[in-house]
Every structure is written in C-alpha cells, then in structure tokens.
Amino acid sequence: MKEQAQTCCDFTIEVMGEGVATAVPDETIVTLGVSGESDSLGTLQTDQAKTIDAIIQAMLALGVPRESISTAQYSIEPQYDFIDGKQVFRGYRAVHLLRITIDGAKDAGRVIDAAVAQGANMVSDITFQSTHADEARRKALTLAVRDAEAKALAIAATLGVSLSSIPCKVMESPGNRFEPVMFKAASVPAGDVGTTIEPGTLTFKASVRVWYVYG
C-alpha cells in the first residue's frame, strides 16, 4: 500500500527578496593593441613590436605606471583562402593586445586616442571597476533581505497570522550579479580622435530566498 501523500505543509512562508546597489567606478581597464596580416611573418612581428613599444611609451607619457601595463593577448595564426575547393595559404594574422589599468574612470578616451595615434587599431574591451564594490555587494544583499522580510510581513498580515522575528532559513541566489560593467568594441579606425567614454554607474544586484515560520 502506497504511503498516503502529505496533505499539509510546514508552517512556513517562503519569499524572494531583491536588492540593488550602485557604486561609482574609480578604476578602468582598457585592452587594446594591434591586429594585422602579412605574407611575411617576420615583417609582421617586427612592425607590431614597434607599434606596441610606441603605445607603451605613449602610456608612460600619460602617467600610466609601467606595472599597470601588461600583455593581454599575443597570437599568430596562418590564414588561408579556398580556391576551386583547395586551401591556399594567404599569409599570417597576428594580434598583440595590452591590458592597461588606469586610476579613475575619465581617462579611457585619452588612453585610446594616444594608442591610436601610435598605430593601435583594435580595442577589445573597456572594463570599469570600483574599489567600493564589496561595500555595494553587501548593501545589495542587505536590501534583498529587507525586501524579503517586507514581503513575508505583508503575506502574514493578509493571512492574519504572526510571523517569527528571525527567519528559519536564508539562501543567497546563485544568480546574483556582481560583475563589473564591460564595454565591447571592435576595431578602431585610424585617425579617430577625441574619443569620449562614459563610465556610467556600476550596478550590483542580489536576490535571496527566505523562509519564515508563522503561527
């Protein structure tokens, strides 16, 4: 004989709470460099090395510390054309990118312009971050818990029951979004100047599941 299905539930109220907090970005990471093709690998490497060195010198001239400049990507790939169903070697494609970390969130445009002036033709991303990110994360979680409590109190009041002052279980949702804002970009046309990059505001979102006992 099958066990009779449970027809009653525990005396709990389950709610979802959401919270949002913001922070002003105060650090910028720009990834940029050169991408090109040539049938001569040696020439391609030499030309790109000169351009990268010129970009580094331009960054130093802007006051970017040397330790804030690092290699983000270096790749070389053979390129082929397909002619009459056959693979024909065309040359090589090389990409050399630098990761440049700068204080503040207003100088990304100047960094890009200075790099382009030295031959950069690619910006892969611009990431804004904040040294107050941990504080914003905690605030978002706090607001999420308070939101859950308010919802549980509203449900309890509607049902005419009393709610425990302390939840019996709290679970942070795995989908909480605490990533920095990232701007994607493609190639940068040579000669563009006066680039304006607006950092905006970093948004941190949190959600929790909370269980309250009622009676």
Side-chain angles (χ1 to χ4, degrees):
M1 181 177 181
K2 294 183 178 180
E3 185 178 352
Q4 185 176 0
Q6 186 175 355
T7 58
C8 63
C9 63
D10 295 332
F11 292 96
T12 59
I13 295 176
E14 178 185 345
V15 289
M16 292 289 296
E18 297 180 343
V20 178
T22 60
V24 177
D26 53 19
E27 183 180 76
T28 309
I29 300 176
V30 182
T31 304
L32 53 76
V34 288
S35 172
E37 292 187 16
S38 174
D39 56 0
S40 171
L41 180 57
T43 300
L44 184 60
Q45 288 179 293
T46 299
D47 290 345
Q48 288 197 352
K50 290 179 179 178
T51 301
I52 289 297
D53 183 65
I55 293 172
I56 292 175
Q57 295 306 314
M59 296 302 103
L60 296 176
L62 287 177
V64 179
R66 185 64 182 83
E67 58 270 21
S68 296
I69 306 172
S70 61
T71 299
Q73 178 183 341
Y74 184 81
S75 62
I76 299 173
E77 297 179 349
Q79 302 296 299
Y80 298 92
D81 290 325
F82 287 88
I83 301 174
D84 296 330
K86 296 182 179 180
Q87 186 173 318
V88 179
F89 177 73
R90 184 177 74 236
Y92 297 93
R93 180 176 186 269
V95 176
H96 193 165
L97 301 178
L98 297 174
R99 181 179 292 107
I100 303 166
T101 303
I102 53 179
D103 292 331
K106 297 294 185 181
D107 292 333
R110 285 205 309 144
V111 165
I112 292 173
D113 290 341
V116 169
Q118 299 302 323
N121 63 1
M122 183 176 182
V123 177
S124 66
D125 63 65
I126 304 171
T127 304
F128 295 107
Q129 300 181 148
S130 173
T131 54
H132 300 288
D134 289 340
E135 179 182 347
R137 293 186 184 101
R138 290 190 294 268
K139 183 177 181 180
L141 282 171
T142 297
L143 293 174
V145 172
R146 290 176 180 173
D147 181 50
E149 180 183 20
K151 291 177 179 177
L153 287 171
I155 294 173
T158 302
L159 296 175
V161 297
S162 60
L163 197 69
S164 61
S165 59
I166 300 176
C168 61
K169 184 179 180 181
V170 179
M171 179 181 299
E172 181 182 357
S173 298
N176 284 348
R177 290 172 287 177
F178 294 140
E179 301 86 355
V181 173
M182 180 178 292
F183 289 80
K184 290 290 185 181
S187 60
V188 178
D192 277 6
V193 294
T195 303
T196 301
I197 303 295
E198 293 296 335
T201 302
L202 303 181
T203 301
F204 299 84
K205 298 182 179 180
S207 60
V208 293
R209 293 176 63 191
V210 185
W211 290 259
Y212 285 91
V213 176
Y214 70 89

